[in-house]
């Protein structure tokens, strides 16, 4: 388990790194595409959101939400992802919506840092943003150290 500190710039930098962001989102899409048909169905996307338990809890406390209300909410999320209303979410639609979500998170965080406790094997996009930031910081520290040693 690890603790990371991120703010809006951490998330924004991750989204701006097109290659890293695309690879991370593509990996997540592949993990969600349970039948490997190249698109996400309504049920595949719902399973992903159900596993996050974002809707069924409120600050970590279980909340009783009527099943029909949950279905309505999950359907509206799916409709948002399915921008061409084809009945499935393709990779490009998923990338675009995840980019919007991550930038909204960045805007919400602003310059206020937050601390997150994450499992070491956690593959969510915020952890990947923190990992990218750590890699950049480690690289700049080692580069600065190498330069100072040469003086």
């Amino acid at each position: 388990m690890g603790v990371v500190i991120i703010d809006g710039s951490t998330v924004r930098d991750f989204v701006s790194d097109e290659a890293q962001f695309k690879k991370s989102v593509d990996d997540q899409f592949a993990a969600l595409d349970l039948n490997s048909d190249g698109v996400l169905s309504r049920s595949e996307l719902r399973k992903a959101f159900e596993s996050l338990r974002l809707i069924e809890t409120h600050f970590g406390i279980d909340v009783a939400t009527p099943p029909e209300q949950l279905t309505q909410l999950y359907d509206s999320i799916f409709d948002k992802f399915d921008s061409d209303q084809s009945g499935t979410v393709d990779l490009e639609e998923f990338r675009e919506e995840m980019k919007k979500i991550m930038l909204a998170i960045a805007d919400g965080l602003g310059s206020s840092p937050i601390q997150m406790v994450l499992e070491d094997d956690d593959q969510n996009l915020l952890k990947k943003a923190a990992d990218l930031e750590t890699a950049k910081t480690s690289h700049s520290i080692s580069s600065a150290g190498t330069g100072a040693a040469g003086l």
Side-chain angles (χ1 to χ4, degrees):
M1 196 167 351
V3 176
V4 296
I5 298 174
I6 63 169
D7 65 7
S9 65
T10 306
V11 177
R12 198 170 292 287
D13 288 349
F14 174 62
V15 173
S16 296
D17 186 332
E18 289 183 28
Q20 186 68 33
F21 183 73
K22 182 180 176 188
K23 180 185 180 331
S24 297
V25 171
D26 290 3
D27 289 348
Q28 198 166 45
F29 182 90
L32 298 176
D33 185 11
L34 300 176
N35 63 0
S36 301
D37 65 353
V39 294
L40 299 180
S41 66
R42 193 171 294 272
S43 65
E44 286 171 323
L45 197 59
R46 180 174 178 153
K47 283 178 188 164
F49 280 102
E50 284 175 339
S51 72
L52 296 173
R53 297 198 68 224
L54 297 175
I55 297 166
E56 292 91 357
T57 63
H58 184 69
F59 296 105
I61 299 169
D62 286 344
V63 178
T65 305
E68 61 277 354
Q69 189 177 353
L70 282 175
T71 297
Q72 186 178 21
L73 186 55
Y74 286 126
D75 284 348
S76 70
I77 292 169
F78 182 85
D79 291 343
K80 185 77 173 152
F81 273 80
D82 184 20
S83 60
D84 67 1
Q85 283 132 19
S86 65
T88 59
V89 176
D90 64 34
L91 181 56
E92 194 56 42
E93 289 172 315
F94 187 75
R95 279 187 200 137
E96 279 303 307
E97 203 56 37
M98 292 308 297
K99 183 175 184 176
K100 289 176 192 174
I101 289 169
M102 293 300 287
L103 291 175
I105 289 170
D107 289 346
L109 290 173
S111 60
S112 302
I114 63 165
Q115 186 173 346
M116 295 175 56
V117 178
L118 300 167
E119 296 295 326
D120 291 332
D121 63 345
D122 197 337
Q123 295 302 308
N124 78 50
L125 294 180
L126 290 177
K127 169 122 178 14
K128 291 191 180 275
D131 289 346
L132 182 63
E133 183 73 18
T134 300
K136 286 180 183 177
T137 303
S138 296
H139 178 68
S140 66
I141 290 172
S142 65
S143 296
T146 305
L151 292 176

